[in-house]
Amino acid sequence: MTADPLPRNRANFVPLTPVAFLERSALVYPDKVAVRHGRLAYTYREFEARCRRLASALAAHGIRRGDTVAVMAPNVPALLEAHYAVPALGAILNPLNVRLDAATIAFCLAHGGAKVLIADGEFAPVVKPALAQLASPPFVIDIDDAEGPPGERLGSARYEDWLAQGDPSFAWPGPLDEWDSLALLYTSGTTGDPKGVVYHHRGAYLNALGNALAFKLSPDSVYLWTLPMFHCCGWTYTWAVTAAGATHVCLRKVDPALIFPAIRDHRVTHLCGAPIVLNLLIHAPANVKLRFDHAVDVATGGAAPPSAVIEAMEVMGFRVTHLYGLTESYGPATLCAWQDGWGDLDLTARARQMARQGVPMPTLDEFQVGDPATGEAVPRDGATLGEVMLRGNTIMKGYLRNDSATRDAFAHGWYHSGDLAVWHPDNYIEIKDRSKDIIISGGENVSSLEVEECLYRHPQVMEAAVVARPDDKWGETPCAFVTLKPGAEGVDARVLIAWCRGRIAHFKAPTTIVFGPLPKTATGKIQKFVLRERARAL
């Protein structure tokens, strides 16, 4: 075999990394507003300088390639800046879900080996007990955000002071290889123990470009952060918006009273969120809703938005794009791409088409609906049920320190989503159910097993099973079916809900409790498909 006569070299090969998007936009649009937050506004030149300062200060503290830096914050500039400064060092960013309980946060910090935690003061009541559970807690940097409520200081450094000691011209090293780990995201998966999903630079770079292309981002775009940045690194829009040279508008809280004025005042053109965000806008009080004279594109994912929600958003002047994906696929993996013929349909029929999960994103290599046992594709007949399977560069590296789960996820050379769908003749997929007992509430994954374990710990509970119940506001909420022990007294739905809320994150607690015997198979296995039907009928 002869050697390749055209080898790659520094002139023709550079590892792909989304950090490069910031470098380019700071070069091309130095004086353009890159980030807005309340009364603050940073240009791209200033945005890059702040990120370099953060990277410099972290490096001076001893953060090296492969180290983990965690962030517990809402959608504030500090979290956005960490999406560049940390990967630029070759370190790993771990954005934490701000809705988690202290025990789970402690698990994530310990399992991920975080050496630094950048934490917003609003979450001190949860972060403080989490740190107390750790034998070797990370170095804590406090975010004092003028737009947020005052909070207890937990660290020995303040974020802005930390930046001030950094070098605005710091030459960050970047990744050695585009396969280098970039981020660590925890997902509840199918068990109560979170699984650490590991991203690489190549996947983040490509998925960000795919999002920018699919969502039609441009230098004229203004993106409002209604989607949590801790969700799949903001579905990689943390980098996609910058790649387009567009403007980020940070938002601490998803509140229609803040969203509508932001759309009007900043002429927001794009925003993302779970169906609950759409519902919040639809059902906002009349005195909060504002009309605006420009189109706003909305991308939504998580539990499929009911067609009625899409209809209502269109009436309000929003254009909805339905996306589908998972933490393991860097967020969006498919989109319900618009077809010209749909414009001729009435609103109800058009919304029905738009509620499907769709076709692959531009940067996903392949997808299929397949037989989970063999990996073979099912017919595209719109009726045969199979599992959604994905393949390509925008799929995770694997689960951190969980080889068995990684092997299972990549069986037959596909990433197995666990979502059951049909494949239509027009190549669009439509999810029908989940083989995993995961409940998606407000865009958050809730493990039914975790909730069940919490219920089983109540001294009066004999059996418990948790399934998803459709909810107009949250998309889905946990519904618990409970059999009490003989002679149990003083236990009602309110007691059990309060029991759960005191032990797990509030969004995981059941909103509905149904008492009685549980349906079982001949071998004693609880028939969850029966319970799902009952929950839908409630």
Side-chain angles (χ1 to χ4, degrees):
M1 183 181 292
T2 59
D4 185 349
L6 301 171
R8 66 186 186 184
N9 55 68
R10 291 181 61 189
N12 64 20
F13 181 84
V14 177
L16 300 180
T17 174
V19 176
F21 300 144
L22 176 58
E23 295 172 333
R24 178 186 182 274
S25 288
L27 179 73
V28 179
Y29 308 109
D31 299 317
K32 180 181 179 180
V33 173
V35 182
R36 293 190 183 277
H37 182 52
R39 295 181 295 275
L40 299 175
Y42 306 130
T43 65
Y44 266 107
R45 179 188 287 111
E46 294 168 326
F47 183 27
E48 183 191 35
R50 287 177 62 85
C51 293
R52 290 189 183 276
R53 284 183 181 276
L54 176 56
S56 171
L58 289 171
H61 182 72
I63 295 300
R64 297 291 182 263
R65 190 176 305 279
D67 290 340
T68 300
V69 175
V71 183
M72 181 79 167
N75 290 344
V76 295
L79 179 50
L80 183 61
E81 288 157 5
H83 275 79
Y84 294 90
V86 176
L89 289 174
I92 302 166
L93 176 66
N94 177 208
L96 294 168
N97 185 333
V98 299
R99 299 177 68 186
L100 293 177
D101 55 281
T104 307
I105 292 168
F107 172 89
C108 295
L109 291 173
H111 186 261
K115 292 191 174 181
V116 170
L117 170 63
I118 303 172
D120 188 277
E122 180 180 353
F123 306 107
V126 179
V127 173
K128 186 175 183 178
L131 294 173
Q133 298 178 39
L134 301 176
S136 300
F139 179 80
V140 178
I141 302 170
D142 294 303
I143 300 173
D144 292 326
D145 181 22
E147 299 297 319
E152 181 182 358
R153 287 194 61 191
L154 302 178
S156 56
R158 293 176 183 267
Y159 185 78
E160 291 300 328
D161 294 339
W162 188 256
L163 255 63
Q165 64 182 308
D167 179 2
S169 301
F170 176 67
W172 46 40
L176 292 176
D177 187 283
E178 57 192 23
W179 181 254
D180 285 354
S181 298
L182 173 146
L184 174 64
L185 291 304
Y186 282 94
T187 176
S188 57
T190 58
T191 69
D193 289 334
K195 289 187 291 188
V197 174
V198 181
Y199 289 174
H200 50 71
H201 287 254
R202 178 180 177 84
Y205 180 98
L206 292 171
N207 210 66
L209 289 184
N211 276 323
L213 178 62
F215 209 21
K216 299 181 175 64
L217 294 176
S218 76
D220 296 324
S221 300
V222 178
Y223 182 92
L224 180 63
W225 275 104
T226 49
L227 172 76
M229 291 185 199
F230 62 72
H231 267 315
C232 318
C233 290
W235 295 355
T236 71
Y237 280 101
T238 46
W239 303 300
V241 174
T242 300
T247 299
H248 299 263
V249 179
C250 294
L251 190 68
R252 285 190 65 96
K253 184 180 179 182
V254 178
D255 182 345
L258 300 174
I259 293 172
F260 280 104
I263 292 173
R264 177 196 61 193
D265 297 345
H266 302 304
R267 292 195 65 80
V268 168
T269 59
H270 295 77
L271 59 89
C272 297
I276 184 176
V277 176
L278 278 57
N279 271 321
L280 284 173
L281 298 178
I282 292 168
H283 299 294
N287 64 328
V288 168
K289 289 183 178 179
L290 298 174
R291 300 296 298 181
F292 31 87
D293 59 1
H294 65 284
V296 179
D297 284 294
V298 180
T300 189
S307 56
V309 170
I310 295 177
E311 289 181 47
M313 288 294 289
E314 284 204 358
V315 170
M316 291 169 57
F318 294 90
R319 293 184 300 224
V320 178
T321 299
H322 183 206
L323 306 173
Y324 163 77
L326 311 96
T327 303
E328 290 85 345
S329 63
Y330 296 73
T334 75
L335 78 159
C336 197
W338 176 264
Q339 299 291 337
D340 290 340
W342 294 357
D344 299 328
L345 302 174
D346 62 62
L347 183 56
T348 300
R350 183 166 70 248
R352 210 174 281 128
Q353 292 282 71
M354 293 168 63
R356 297 182 298 170
Q357 282 65 35
V359 292
M361 289 284 287
T363 43
L364 182 73
D365 187 44
E366 291 183 82
F367 86 154
Q368 70 171 19
V369 178
D371 182 335
T374 66
E376 296 297 321
V378 304
R380 305 184 194 192
D381 55 11
T384 305
L385 203 62
E387 184 179 17
V388 178
M389 301 179 186
L390 310 171
R391 176 187 286 160
N393 296 292
T394 54
I395 302 299
M396 66 169 180
K397 294 177 72 170
Y399 298 114
L400 181 66
R401 291 197 286 274
N402 195 335
D403 293 341
S404 61
T406 300
R407 283 194 302 271
D408 291 345
F410 293 147
H412 309 110
W414 293 91
Y415 168 68
H416 289 246
S417 70
D419 291 322
L420 302 178
V422 296
W423 208 352
H424 289 280
D426 64 357
N427 300 316
Y428 282 60
I429 63 170
E430 182 179 3
I431 290 178
K432 295 295 186 181
D433 204 349
R434 278 185 292 278
S435 59
K436 305 172 186 176
D437 292 321
I438 285 294
I439 301 157
I440 302 179
S441 182
E444 301 281 0
N445 280 3
V446 179
S447 167
S448 62
L449 297 182
E450 181 182 3
V451 184
E452 289 165 7
E453 181 172 343
C454 182
L455 287 166
Y456 270 106
R457 290 185 178 275
H458 190 281
Q460 303 300 328
V461 170
M462 184 170 67
E463 292 182 320
V466 176
V467 298
R469 180 188 178 193
D471 185 90
D472 290 340
K473 179 179 181 182
W474 298 101
E476 295 175 345
T477 57
C479 176
F481 291 83
V482 174
T483 303
L484 297 175
K485 294 180 179 179
E489 295 180 356
V491 179
D492 58 17
R494 288 177 299 176
V495 169
L496 289 184
I497 291 171
W499 168 271
C500 292
R501 288 171 67 90
R503 288 160 177 79
I504 57 177
H506 287 190
F507 73 89
K508 297 180 179 180
T511 56
T512 308
I513 307 281
V514 179
F515 294 94
L518 305 183
K520 298 176 182 176
T521 65
T523 58
K525 184 177 180 181
I526 296 171
Q527 296 175 308
K528 282 201 168 182
F529 70 94
V530 175
L531 297 181
R532 290 190 190 99
E533 291 300 321
R534 291 182 185 175
R536 293 189 187 105
L538 292 175

